[in-house]
Amino acid sequence: MQVTEKSSEGLSRTYEVVIPATELADRLGQKIKEIQPQVRLKGFRPGKVPASHIRKVFGSSLMGDVVQETVNETSQKALQDNEVTPASEPHIHMESDTDKVIAGDADLAYHIHLDVMPTFDAANPADLKLVRPVTEAGDKELQDALEELAKNNQSFEDKGKKAAAEGDQLTMDFVGRVDGEEFEGGKAEDAKLVLGSGQFIPGFEDGLVGAKAGEEKVVEANFPDPYQREDLAGKTAEFTVQVKEVAAPKPAEVDDELAKAFGLESLDALKEAVKSNLQRELDSQSRARVKRRLLDALDERHDFELPKRMVDAEFEQIWNQVKSDMDAGNLDEEDAEKSEDELKEEYRGIAERRVRLGLVLAEIGREGKVEIKDEDVSRAVNQQASQYPGQERQIIEFYQQNPQALAQIRAPLYEEKVVDYILELADIKDEKVSREELFTDDEAPGAAPAKKKPAAKKKAPAKKAAAKKSESSKSDEAEAKPAKKPAAKQAPAKKAAAAKKAPAKKPAAKKTAKKADSD
């Protein structure tokens, strides 16, 4: 085998590998010897087929296998001998005529095109100085959370013949028509709807304000455009609604009975559980904020050439998401005002930042001997599987059989572990702030300006949330890993089976890759 470096520009390398035809012939002869005992052909005893006859019958097919095996083996050896660490999957380009190589009339020659990993000195975690915003769950936050729980656990009382107001719950039958014809999904019986909840298309709920039990109303509502059903997009529908009951909300009291509704013995136990959940939410946001400052500090301290193919792949992943948002009209106002070239330049910068940070974190993790245990990966896979009730076994087997999918589970686990490792060694000063300040994004002192996102909104606790881990605000999405396309938001679920067929609202605009990068 002869290996020649044909080009070296920055991190890009091209190597030419040549395997003499005589060596391929020797490999073919060895392969024939290996399979000879298993070959069975008519006219010969099992395992006694002459090598020359095997070569005559199967020579071309076997040589094709030899060529492929030789390319795989020699390409790896060529990189190892040249002490090259690929930054991405090398590209193999055949230079010789494959038919002639298989026929034994030509040497095997091919080129290896690849980017190599950059060499750089990673920052010493102990040299980093960071400020971590922290806050504690106060009495006001606790009371607000308890009142929200009571509101979510409210019941409804029949109002008799009184008119419906926003916040009241209606029980109703309805039939929807477009151009005088009923449409699929536009009919329901005993459907329940809380006015003002936004469960139905625009105009429907507004048209029922003031309705009374026993009354029949005709309501006009408009389907959004675009809409998931193209045959209904932008059209006006007329609904005949038979109101059966109007019920007023009756919030639960913040007392021992509310605690029992969540499986707890007393109000004191409920307060303790809620406060604990609130503090976990605050601590999670605090870590997200200091992580963001850490990433900004690392990005500022490192400037080295990046593997082009790695950046291209990252940018392509981000840009596909942006294009999807663009086609759906879901770009934020800031991006919508920019040209495609301006957006590409901006998002390529984000791709470069993510690749740079990924390489830096990987190098710090390597130097710090940070490892992910198999049980950590298994736990994460099981958590993923738990999101698909009834399909847990299939999901687990999917990850077991797909190394690439498993790597997507392992990568964020490793990143978080490296971040924890850095935070343990860094010089961190805690700074007490208010809850509002904690959930407001900032820029780390001395770091490159970060793109802003709206302050996270406090979410209402779900039922049973007090006894379980509360739904915390979104933690910062790692900027060192590939951008993920967010799933499209689903329309609010209806509370009755029949009502599930009713028209849903247009999904809200999706979060762009830029917003995810700034988190």
Side-chain angles (χ1 to χ4, degrees):
M1 177 180 74
Q2 180 181 350
V3 181
T4 306
E5 185 177 84
K6 303 297 289 186
S7 68
S8 175
E9 298 180 5
L11 298 177
S12 296
R13 302 285 188 277
T14 297
Y15 295 95
E16 181 183 60
V17 181
V18 178
I19 313 296
T22 53
E23 182 177 334
L24 293 176
D26 291 342
R27 287 173 177 257
L28 176 61
Q30 183 61 36
K31 192 171 191 66
I32 290 174
K33 285 183 180 180
E34 291 174 359
I35 69 171
Q36 192 173 18
Q38 288 81 41
V39 175
R40 286 172 170 75
L41 290 176
K42 188 175 181 180
F44 298 93
R45 287 182 297 167
K48 299 299 182 180
V49 182
S52 59
H53 192 70
I54 295 175
R55 184 186 301 269
K56 179 180 178 180
V57 176
F58 303 111
S60 294
S61 174
L62 291 174
M63 181 59 93
D65 293 341
V66 167
V67 169
Q68 184 61 54
E69 292 168 0
T70 301
V71 169
N72 292 339
E73 177 187 328
T74 56
S75 61
Q76 291 296 320
K77 188 174 188 307
L79 298 181
Q80 291 172 2
D81 290 348
N82 284 273
E83 299 181 347
V84 170
T85 303
S88 56
E89 189 69 25
H91 172 68
I92 305 296
H93 177 72
M94 298 297 294
E95 293 294 319
S96 54
D97 187 321
T98 306
D99 291 337
K100 289 184 178 180
V101 173
I102 291 177
D105 297 331
D107 295 339
L108 170 61
Y110 64 89
H111 282 174
I112 306 174
H113 303 279
L114 76 157
D115 287 342
V116 299
M117 292 292 287
T119 57
F120 60 91
D121 294 325
N124 183 350
D127 293 337
L128 297 174
K129 297 183 182 296
L130 302 169
V131 176
R132 175 170 50 202
V134 296
T135 191
E136 295 183 1
D139 293 339
K140 183 180 185 305
E141 288 80 12
L142 174 59
Q143 188 59 35
D144 289 345
L146 291 171
E147 290 176 359
E148 190 68 34
L149 285 176
K151 181 179 178 181
N152 291 340
N153 204 47
Q154 69 184 4
S155 57
F156 290 88
E157 289 184 333
D158 187 1
K159 291 179 63 173
K161 295 296 182 178
K162 292 183 179 180
E166 187 168 318
D168 288 347
Q169 177 179 271
L170 272 60
T171 302
M172 60 190 173
D173 298 340
F174 63 83
V175 177
R177 297 178 178 84
V178 171
D179 298 329
E181 298 292 333
E182 293 186 22
F183 59 90
E184 183 181 358
K187 184 177 182 179
E189 294 181 356
D190 293 325
K192 293 188 182 296
L193 169 67
V194 176
L195 298 182
S197 63
Q199 288 180 268
F200 286 76
I201 60 176
F204 187 87
E205 296 178 27
D206 291 341
L208 292 174
V209 173
K212 298 178 181 180
E215 182 180 4
E216 181 177 282
K217 296 204 69 171
V218 176
V219 177
E220 282 193 357
N222 299 308
F223 285 97
D225 189 6
Y227 187 64
Q228 56 262 40
R229 282 184 54 181
E230 294 182 1
D231 59 320
L232 297 177
K235 293 187 176 181
T236 298
E238 185 178 87
F239 292 88
T240 301
V241 183
Q242 184 66 45
V243 181
K244 293 184 172 180
E245 181 186 73
V246 177
K250 182 184 178 183
E253 297 294 330
V254 179
D255 55 15
D256 289 344
E257 292 303 314
L258 178 62
K260 292 176 182 178
F262 290 100
L264 299 174
E265 295 181 356
S266 65
L267 178 58
D268 287 341
L270 178 61
K271 287 181 177 180
E272 183 178 347
V274 171
K275 189 168 186 176
S276 176
N277 287 339
L278 288 173
Q279 192 59 53
R280 278 197 293 269
E281 177 186 3
L282 296 172
D283 292 344
S284 175
Q285 177 65 7
S286 178
R287 184 190 185 280
R289 288 286 299 281
V290 75
K291 176 185 174 181
R292 173 54 194 269
R293 295 181 177 187
L294 166 63
L295 294 178
D296 283 343
L298 290 176
D299 187 52
E300 183 187 39
R301 286 169 177 249
H302 296 87
D303 183 16
F304 51 86
E305 186 176 1
L306 301 174
K308 183 177 182 302
R309 288 185 176 87
M310 188 178 287
V311 173
D312 287 345
E314 180 68 19
F315 171 75
E316 190 67 23
Q317 189 171 9
I318 296 174
W319 187 249
N320 286 339
Q321 176 187 329
V322 176
K323 283 288 290 181
S324 177
D325 290 344
M326 191 182 300
D327 294 341
N330 287 336
L331 285 182
D332 60 31
E333 293 181 5
E334 181 184 351
D335 279 357
E337 295 175 354
K338 298 176 182 177
S339 68
E340 186 168 313
D341 288 342
E342 289 175 324
L343 288 175
K344 283 185 175 181
E345 181 180 0
E346 189 170 350
Y347 283 110
R348 179 164 287 278
I350 290 174
E352 291 172 352
R353 173 184 166 95
R354 290 185 177 182
V355 170
R356 184 183 304 108
L357 286 172
L359 294 173
V360 170
L361 290 177
E363 179 62 16
I364 293 176
R366 185 191 66 80
E367 293 178 354
K369 296 181 173 56
V370 177
E371 295 181 350
I372 292 294
K373 297 179 180 178
D374 290 340
E375 51 262 38
D376 295 331
V377 179
S378 297
R379 189 180 304 111
V381 169
N382 289 332
Q383 288 175 349
Q384 286 284 332
S386 67
Q387 299 178 23
Y388 301 88
Q391 303 179 54
E392 290 88 349
R393 173 47 50 189
Q394 295 95 310
I395 299 299
I396 292 174
E397 290 177 352
F398 168 77
Y399 281 108
Q400 291 174 341
Q401 298 168 8
N402 291 270
Q404 186 174 2
L406 196 61
Q408 292 178 348
I409 292 286
R410 180 182 291 271
L413 293 177
Y414 181 75
E415 178 181 293
E416 291 305 311
K417 200 158 188 177
V418 173
V419 169
D420 287 339
Y421 166 76
I422 297 173
L423 293 178
E424 287 178 2
L425 299 177
D427 182 0
I428 299 178
K429 176 183 177 182
D430 286 344
E431 177 186 39
K432 290 188 176 182
V433 299
S434 67
R435 178 187 174 88
E436 289 71 23
E437 291 173 317
L438 183 65
F439 282 90
T440 300
D441 285 342
D442 68 347
E443 296 172 9
K451 300 187 181 303
K452 299 277 188 175
K453 71 169 186 177
K457 294 181 179 179
K458 183 180 177 183
K459 297 185 177 181
K463 191 173 183 180
K464 304 293 183 183
K468 302 177 182 179
K469 183 177 180 180
S470 67
E471 181 182 4
S472 64
S473 62
K474 283 187 178 179
S475 61
D476 289 347
E477 181 178 341
E479 299 177 70
K481 60 184 178 180
K484 296 182 179 178
K485 181 176 180 180
K489 293 185 179 179
Q490 301 298 314
K494 308 300 180 286
K495 293 186 178 180
K500 288 181 180 178
K501 298 180 181 179
K505 294 175 68 180
K506 176 182 176 182
K510 293 183 289 184
K511 187 178 185 181
T512 65
K514 181 172 62 177
K515 294 295 184 183
D517 180 76
S518 68
D519 291 359

